[in-house]
Amino acid sequence: MPLPNIFIDIETAPIYNSSEEFQSIQKKIDEGTITSDHRDYAIKQQYWKHARGGLNPLEGKIIMITYQVNDNRPWRLAEWKSSEKTILKELYDVISLHKGNQDDPLNIIGFNITNFDLPFLYYRSQETQIENGFHGYDPLWLYKYFHAPTIQDILQIHLPLNNWSRYGLNHNAVAMAYDLPTKEERGDVNAGYYYNQEFDKILKYTEDEFIYPQLYQKMKRRMVTKEKLQECVKFFQEKYAAERNETHFQKESLSNAETKPVEKN
């Protein structure tokens, strides 16, 4: 009997000691005292940790794991209800339970999972030293259980249909190509939700994002055409470019308003 498919998706946030520390950095960024191009390297690093720290496991941590086995309901493991180590151990146990063998390996499926989710999960499991062996933490078995399964990366599978380019091949473009709902927000909003303790918004985000079991079934029935995928890629490239321009315009307008001299009557 074939082993199950396990669909996995993670949400992350940069590591801060407290909500107050995160909010303090956010305030200084809003005020313009911490910038991406500051001459002081340490200050510039504060900006990039705040903006991008959740994208690497050295500066970031996992705050939510969503997984689903076959057609069963999805499970959501929240770090704020226990700990990062606890939710990593729970996922490891699920993978261990369905690990399979060389002839019939477990299938782990996700979007950009080879470049993001799995490396992040592996590193943070090492960092927290989850108990995964007969004598506690065992790095060898940790490596085997995360790397032995067959990995099916939805992004990588669609590279040939996007002229072998990752550019523009994002979650929403692929979702639209298969007539599935797109998400309204990007993953970087979750750091603010997390440190402001707006956990319901993180849950809502994961509910909107975790379409991968339905997407995978549509892919198995029939892959999207190259023309339709590229049409969707172009749509979101233009949409996000317009949003960036609008944000830049708003910041410039605000800056000009703050620096404009007061006219005397």
Side-chain angles (χ1 to χ4, degrees):
M1 184 171 121
L3 284 166
N5 297 319
I6 297 183
F7 301 88
I8 297 176
D9 186 50
I10 66 172
E11 308 305 331
T12 62
I15 299 171
Y16 289 100
N17 293 322
S18 65
S19 295
E20 290 74 20
E21 183 182 5
F22 175 87
Q23 291 160 357
S24 174
I25 298 294
Q26 180 66 67
K27 183 180 179 181
K28 291 176 182 178
I29 291 174
D30 293 340
E31 294 171 345
T33 56
I34 293 179
T35 61
S36 62
D37 57 354
H38 200 283
R39 288 179 296 177
D40 187 317
Y41 179 77
I43 293 177
K44 182 164 65 174
Q45 284 299 99
Q46 289 182 50
Y47 175 92
W48 286 113
K49 177 183 176 180
H50 187 280
R52 309 284 288 179
L55 298 180
N56 76 79
L58 285 79
E59 296 180 306
K61 65 177 180 177
I62 296 171
I63 59 173
M64 169 76 75
I65 299 172
T66 305
Y67 75 88
Q68 178 176 318
V69 179
N70 287 339
D71 296 327
N72 297 306
R73 74 171 181 87
W75 292 86
R76 291 181 171 83
L77 312 178
E79 177 267 356
W80 58 87
K81 292 183 178 180
S82 52
S83 69
E84 184 184 24
K85 183 175 183 177
T86 299
I87 65 174
L88 286 167
K89 176 64 166 65
E90 184 168 340
L91 179 65
Y92 177 87
D93 288 345
V94 172
I95 293 173
S96 176
L97 179 65
H98 301 291
K99 63 182 182 295
N101 54 56
Q102 187 173 0
D103 296 325
D104 192 11
L106 167 67
N107 294 315
I108 294 182
I109 303 162
F111 190 91
N112 197 27
I113 198 168
T114 52
N115 286 325
F116 183 69
D117 302 70
L118 286 180
F120 215 112
L121 286 162
Y122 177 61
Y123 183 89
R124 295 306 300 171
S125 296
Q126 284 185 305
E127 186 70 15
T128 57
Q129 296 198 353
I130 64 171
E131 294 182 5
N132 65 311
F134 294 109
H135 304 290
Y137 171 65
D138 186 333
L140 176 60
W141 282 106
L142 182 66
Y143 178 85
K144 287 182 176 180
Y145 278 19
F146 272 116
H147 292 81
T150 298
I151 310 302
Q152 298 190 38
D153 188 326
I154 293 170
L155 184 151
Q156 299 286 337
I157 291 169
H158 286 85
L159 282 175
L161 302 179
N162 197 44
N163 296 325
W164 297 98
S165 173
R166 287 184 58 188
Y167 181 64
L169 194 58
N170 55 50
H171 168 101
N172 275 353
V174 176
M176 177 182 278
Y178 285 90
D179 301 318
L180 288 169
T182 58
K183 56 183 183 178
E184 297 180 0
E185 296 180 303
R186 301 193 198 186
D188 55 4
V189 298
N190 285 321
Y193 293 157
Y194 176 76
Y195 284 107
N196 291 322
Q197 298 186 15
E198 298 176 293
F199 303 131
D200 58 323
K201 292 183 178 180
I202 300 177
L203 290 169
K204 174 65 168 59
Y205 177 89
T206 62
E207 289 170 1
D208 292 342
E209 182 177 53
F210 197 72
I211 60 168
Y212 306 126
Q214 302 96 303
L215 174 56
Y216 185 69
Q217 288 304 316
K218 286 199 168 197
M219 289 166 54
K220 287 177 68 177
R221 287 195 292 270
R222 185 175 183 179
M223 290 287 290
V224 69
T225 64
K226 182 175 183 178
E227 292 73 21
K228 184 171 183 180
L229 178 63
Q230 292 186 1
E231 178 184 331
C232 296
V233 166
K234 183 180 179 181
F235 173 84
F236 281 103
Q237 285 176 333
E238 293 175 349
K239 180 178 186 293
Y240 295 147
E243 289 175 357
R244 287 193 297 270
N245 290 336
E246 178 65 21
T247 300
H248 180 71
F249 175 76
Q250 289 174 352
K251 286 182 178 179
E252 279 198 337
S253 299
L254 180 61
S255 176
N256 291 336
E258 290 174 346
T259 57
K260 185 178 180 180
V262 177
E263 296 182 1
K264 294 182 180 179
N265 294 328

